[in-house]
Amino acid sequence: MRSRKFLKAEQATLAWDAPGLMAGVDEAGRGPLAGPVVAAAVILDDQRPIRGLADSKTLTALQREKLNDQILAKALCCSIAQASVEEIDTHNILQATMLAMRRAVEGLRLKPAKVLVDGNRLPTLDVLAEAVVKGDARVKAISAASILAKVYRDRLCEQLHAEFPHYGFAGHKGYGTPEHLEALDRHGACVHHRRSFSPVAAVLARDSGGTAGIQVVGEAMLQTTDVEIRIAP
């Protein structure tokens, strides 16, 4: 007769993924009419958990700022990258987003064994990767990446606001709000506007075929002194 121990045999856990570090990746700024698209990659430290990680869109600005500081202090490594307005206009916003994500992963100080990316598309990577729909709410490392990308881009928009206060970048962060559209119509487009996006293209077409409405200034770059984070081009 078989023993109870035999009947209650334990099921072994099967690890289908290669062991090693896991990075979460997310982006910020696909929808705005101006500014670069930003991506972040984060490898969290299981020994230093961070409470309150969530999709950056569900957090207040103050919550994001506090979590941003904790992520930079506690994560094993972080990387933030961007694709420029010129790259967005040349390749389209989807391809530019994939480019920023790839740069973020390549900028990590430690090489992950697997990368989890928010959404349903994957950038071209040289490591195992998986797309996770609504991953910014389901995977802590992706949540952390979404927070870093959002905070970085919001700060960049504040710098753009200092250059062009009449557009209101600090408030709408480049999105096509009524305030932004009114300013775009009144002042034309500046060098940070995405010329391939229809509201901007319409203004440029009105303003002498896309030349008179462009205000050219130097590229705004957000500086950081945090040694644990790498900012890719």
Side-chain angles (χ1 to χ4, degrees):
M1 180 177 179
R2 294 179 178 177
S3 67
R4 291 185 180 181
K5 184 176 181 180
F6 179 87
L7 293 174
K8 295 181 179 180
E10 296 181 356
Q11 180 177 347
T13 300
L14 298 177
W16 297 106
D17 296 334
L21 300 173
M22 188 274 291
V25 178
D26 201 2
E27 54 76 27
R30 286 185 63 173
L33 306 179
V37 60
V38 175
V42 178
I43 299 178
L44 293 175
D45 185 348
D46 293 338
Q47 303 303 314
R48 305 181 72 189
I50 302 171
R51 301 183 65 177
L53 291 175
D55 176 3
S56 63
K57 296 185 292 296
T58 68
L59 302 170
T60 66
L62 181 58
Q63 288 173 325
R64 287 194 296 267
E65 289 284 349
K66 290 182 177 180
L67 285 168
N68 181 81
D69 292 343
Q70 289 190 58
I71 294 164
L72 296 181
K74 294 183 176 182
L76 288 177
C77 61
C78 308
S79 171
I80 298 176
Q82 59 183 307
S84 68
V85 170
E86 292 78 10
E87 289 171 322
I88 292 171
D89 289 337
T90 299
H91 302 296
N92 74 46
I93 185 59
L94 175 61
Q95 295 306 316
T97 300
M98 297 297 105
L99 179 60
M101 287 182 169
R102 177 171 62 80
R103 287 171 174 167
V105 173
E106 292 176 348
L108 287 169
R109 177 175 57 84
L110 303 173
K111 187 177 181 65
K114 184 175 183 179
V115 174
L116 300 181
V117 180
D118 182 57
N120 59 6
R121 300 290 185 93
L122 288 174
T124 301
L125 300 171
D126 63 354
V127 297
L128 181 66
E130 178 182 348
V132 183
V133 175
K134 297 184 179 179
D136 47 8
R138 299 169 55 192
V139 180
K140 291 186 182 300
I142 298 180
S143 299
S146 76
I147 292 167
L148 289 191
K150 173 65 174 170
V151 170
Y152 180 91
R153 193 176 190 283
D154 283 356
R155 291 176 179 175
L156 179 57
C157 286
E158 291 172 2
Q159 291 190 3
L160 300 187
H161 182 84
E163 296 181 50
F164 296 101
H166 46 278
Y167 289 108
F169 286 124
H172 53 63
K173 303 301 188 292
Y175 284 90
T177 63
E179 175 194 7
H180 190 186
L181 293 175
E182 180 182 355
L184 186 62
D185 182 66
R186 179 182 303 173
H187 303 289
C190 75
V191 69
H192 301 294
H193 279 102
R194 301 173 180 179
R195 302 180 67 170
S196 58
F197 280 45
S198 56
V200 181
V203 168
L204 292 174
R206 180 199 68 189
D207 295 338
S208 303
T211 56
I214 288 289
Q215 303 179 38
V216 179
V217 297
E219 183 180 1
M221 294 296 294
L222 181 65
Q223 301 298 321
T224 179
T225 58
D226 194 302
V227 295
E228 288 298 324
I229 191 168
R230 296 189 173 189
I231 307 295

